[in-house]
Amino acid sequence: QYTQKTQPVPSQGVCTPTSNGFSCSLGQLGANQTATITVGYNVAANVLPQSATNQVCVQTSCSQPVNPNCAFDTNQIVTRSD
């Protein structure tokens, strides 16, 4: 249904392919600092309008209350003609 169209581009660090997507090493982030990863996907023409949820998890070598720490992003798939 979905195929990765572009390689992931991080705002810092590097990304590498994995068997189920990609993994990124973003280096050190300070308190309240953010990093972004941009990647494009193609959606098959027969996919009906719906929502798709992406998940990202981060890990740290520092002790954290929750490690890994995960977040979710939901996007709407809409029908569009080219």
Side-chain angles (χ1 to χ4, degrees), residues 37-79:
I37 302 165
T38 304
V39 61
Y41 286 86
N42 283 331
V43 179
N46 63 344
V47 173
L48 298 175
Q50 60 183 305
S51 62
T53 301
N54 300 304
Q55 176 183 1
V56 62
C57 296
V58 295
Q59 291 182 304
T60 178
S61 57
C62 302
S63 62
Q64 294 290 317
V66 177
N67 193 13
N69 188 356
C70 298
F72 300 89
D73 172 52
T74 300
N75 300 283
Q76 295 300 316
I77 297 172
V78 296
T79 304

Side-chain angles (χ1 to χ4, degrees), residues 3-18:
T3 55
Q4 190 174 322
K5 178 181 171 183
T6 63
Q7 294 298 315
V9 178
S11 60
Q12 69 179 57
V14 296
C15 296
T16 54
T18 65

